[in-house]
Amino acid sequence: MHIANPVYGAVFKFMMEDSQRCNCPGNGSEGCFLSRKVNFLYMSRILYWIAGALMFMLTSCSRVGSELYLFVGTYAEESEAGIYLYRFNTEDGSASFVRDMSGIGNPSWLALDKEEKILYSVSETGAGASVYAYSFDRETAGLRLLDREETGGSGPCFIWVDSKRRLAVTANYGGGSVSAFPLSATGELGAPSVYSREGGLSGAARQEAPHLHCIYASPDEKHLYANDLGTDRIYKYDLLPGQSGGILLKEGQPSFFSLPAGEGPRHTTFHPNGKYAYLISELSGRVVVLRYDDGDFSPIQYIEADTLHAAGSADIHITPDGRFLYVSNRLKGDGLAIFAIDRKSGRLTKTGYQPTGIHPRNFIITPDGKFLLCACRDTGVIQIFAIDKQSGLLKDTKKDIKVSRPVCLKFANT
């Protein structure tokens, strides 16, 4: 008989051995009394073992349920450690190092497939810029290089993967383009289709040419959007069924949405209710609240996140309950702007500001909404903040994770 759980196995073995030792030694009253005494001791020991087994299982389940893997992308030379992996405790906000990996230059943006079996990373470099695919073993925390494919556009700074792992798309900041990679059933990258853009203002800082910065899908994954910091546009694509279960990218109608000149759209996040999207503009430092309706956007509010006008706003995220929104600001007054979201109208009210380390770039919120982790590139730390569930304000836990030039954070289940 095979006992899979070692605790169950130990209990079973003890019961079998003890039952053989506890046979009644005779038919007399002394023997029966001895038998009853042995049986009492036997049952006491069995109950002790069962209690121990239950305690072990409850403790193990609690430990596993309160942990997440934390992937960290950084700016690093190919010979240096570039991708880091930690275990993050969602109960107390502590983290423990698991492993790191070299062999990729500037893995500045990461994406996991929905099953969390494949980790995709851009290599934000010039000529020969690529996407890397790694198989991820959740049980051993092992990462193995699976594939690599050039993007056909320089400076890829963002990568998106659809929920069925059929397509990966990069935003190529330097190349002013979008690259769409068909994915095999096992996650390998096919040769990309490159969609280049034109435009820009001669001599304008960061707007002299197209600079694609972010890729994101509509909640139903019928449409894909690309924010172009260089031309103040949000490009729209339709996601259509392709051959052999694949997926195709087709220019949408309209093909783009325009924002006011000088906005510099960077990142976007959808509200959990799917009715609103929130875009942070790097140059203006404003959040644009967009009403979403069947593939189309219409702005309903512009509100400042960067009141110092440093032209360095970076990332934007919403708590899982949809109540609070945060924006990271760099270059001056580095920190996180905090907003409350009106559930009915989707409009924002600024409620606070949390100073951070230097150059806060990407940040992430735990699935339970308890912690916010912020990657501060120039300080070389990931700061861990506790989120007040009532006010949305942040408290520094002082449990920093020290990492060289961190710029991207992603969670995965353990």
Side-chain angles (χ1 to χ4, degrees):
M1 182 176 181
H2 176 67
I3 307 296
N5 187 301
V7 177
Y8 289 160
V11 174
F12 179 82
K13 182 179 179 182
F14 175 81
M15 289 173 64
M16 294 298 293
E17 292 177 351
D18 227 18
S19 64
Q20 293 172 2
R21 290 195 297 268
C22 293
N23 293 324
C24 181
N27 295 324
S29 59
E30 182 180 350
C32 291
F33 171 78
L34 179 60
S35 178
R36 287 194 297 272
K37 182 177 180 181
V38 169
N39 283 337
F40 173 77
L41 292 172
Y42 169 67
M43 290 304 299
S44 297
R45 295 175 70 182
I46 292 298
L47 290 172
Y48 174 81
W49 272 90
I50 291 173
L54 288 172
M55 183 62 70
F56 174 86
M57 289 186 290
L58 288 171
T59 302
S60 299
C61 290
S62 174
R63 184 173 62 251
V64 171
S66 64
E67 279 191 338
L68 293 169
Y69 282 121
L70 171 65
F71 287 94
V72 182
T74 69
Y75 280 120
E77 298 295 327
E78 190 172 335
S79 60
E80 301 174 318
I83 298 175
Y84 295 79
L85 180 60
Y86 294 83
R87 284 181 178 271
F88 182 76
N89 188 308
T90 58
E91 292 296 323
D92 61 17
S94 63
S96 57
F97 174 79
V98 176
R99 61 168 300 164
D100 57 36
M101 175 170 284
S102 59
I104 176 173
N106 294 341
S108 62
W109 198 267
L110 312 174
L112 284 154
D113 69 327
K114 189 175 182 179
E115 295 181 344
E116 299 176 346
K117 292 182 178 180
I118 310 292
L119 176 73
Y120 294 93
S121 176
V122 301
S123 177
E124 190 182 338
T125 59
S130 301
V131 171
Y132 288 66
Y134 300 90
S135 61
F136 175 57
D137 187 324
R138 184 181 286 113
E139 297 300 319
T140 65
L143 281 172
R144 179 179 63 84
L145 180 62
L146 182 66
D147 199 8
R148 172 185 174 180
E149 189 75 31
E150 291 191 6
T151 58
S154 65
C157 60
F158 200 101
I159 184 166
W160 169 88
V161 181
D162 80 292
S163 61
K164 295 183 179 179
R165 205 178 66 199
R166 298 167 295 174
L167 188 72
V169 184
T170 62
N172 307 319
Y173 184 90
S177 61
V178 166
S179 299
F181 300 80
L183 301 177
S184 72
T186 50
E188 289 92 348
L189 298 149
S193 298
V194 181
Y195 302 81
S196 297
R197 293 298 176 180
E198 297 179 351
L201 299 172
S202 179
R206 284 177 272 177
Q207 290 199 309
E208 79 294 346
H211 291 303
L212 280 295
H213 217 309
C214 178
I215 301 289
Y216 52 101
S218 58
D220 57 10
E221 283 195 0
K222 290 183 178 180
H223 309 284
L224 196 68
Y225 304 94
N227 291 348
D228 186 351
L229 186 149
T231 64
D232 296 316
R233 289 178 173 179
I234 305 169
Y235 287 103
K236 177 184 176 182
Y237 301 89
D238 295 330
L239 293 170
L240 302 175
Q243 295 180 348
S244 303
I247 189 170
L248 299 175
L249 216 58
K250 180 185 176 182
E251 190 169 282
Q253 293 296 326
S255 60
F256 63 87
F257 303 97
S258 292
L259 294 170
E263 279 295 320
R266 183 178 168 105
H267 284 186
T268 302
T269 187
F270 272 92
H271 192 277
N273 66 20
K275 297 179 181 179
Y276 305 99
Y278 299 82
L279 180 150
I280 180 61
S281 295
E282 178 174 320
L283 302 183
S284 74
R286 298 194 298 183
V287 178
V288 185
V289 182
L290 301 162
R291 180 178 285 109
Y292 178 75
D293 182 22
D294 194 25
D296 293 337
F297 291 126
S298 55
I300 59 174
Q301 184 188 16
Y302 293 85
I303 183 170
E304 281 192 334
D306 172 19
T307 58
L308 298 178
H309 307 127
S313 296
D315 203 10
I316 185 166
H317 292 287
I318 296 172
T319 52
D321 61 10
R323 296 182 61 198
F324 304 106
L325 178 143
Y326 303 87
V327 171
S328 58
N329 294 313
R330 308 162 295 168
L331 306 183
K332 290 182 181 178
D334 294 25
L336 294 159
I338 305 169
F339 299 87
I341 303 174
D342 185 286
R343 287 181 178 270
K344 292 183 179 180
S345 69
R347 297 175 68 87
L348 300 177
T349 301
K350 194 170 184 180
T351 58
Y353 199 84
Q354 175 63 51
T356 64
I358 302 172
H359 208 93
R361 197 175 168 104
N362 175 231
F363 62 94
I364 194 170
I365 297 171
T366 53
D368 61 5
K370 189 174 180 179
F371 294 102
L372 183 153
L373 284 67
C374 183
C376 301
R377 189 193 70 183
D378 294 354
T379 307
V381 298
I382 300 166
Q383 288 181 289
I384 301 168
F385 296 96
I387 300 174
D388 187 299
K389 289 291 185 74
Q390 299 304 314
S391 67
L393 299 180
L394 303 174
K395 180 180 180 181
D396 191 350
T397 66
K398 307 296 184 181
K399 296 181 180 180
D400 295 356
I401 306 170
K402 294 183 178 181
V403 187
S404 176
R405 292 173 287 175
V407 290
C408 183
L409 308 175
K410 296 292 178 183
F411 283 128
N413 292 309
T414 54

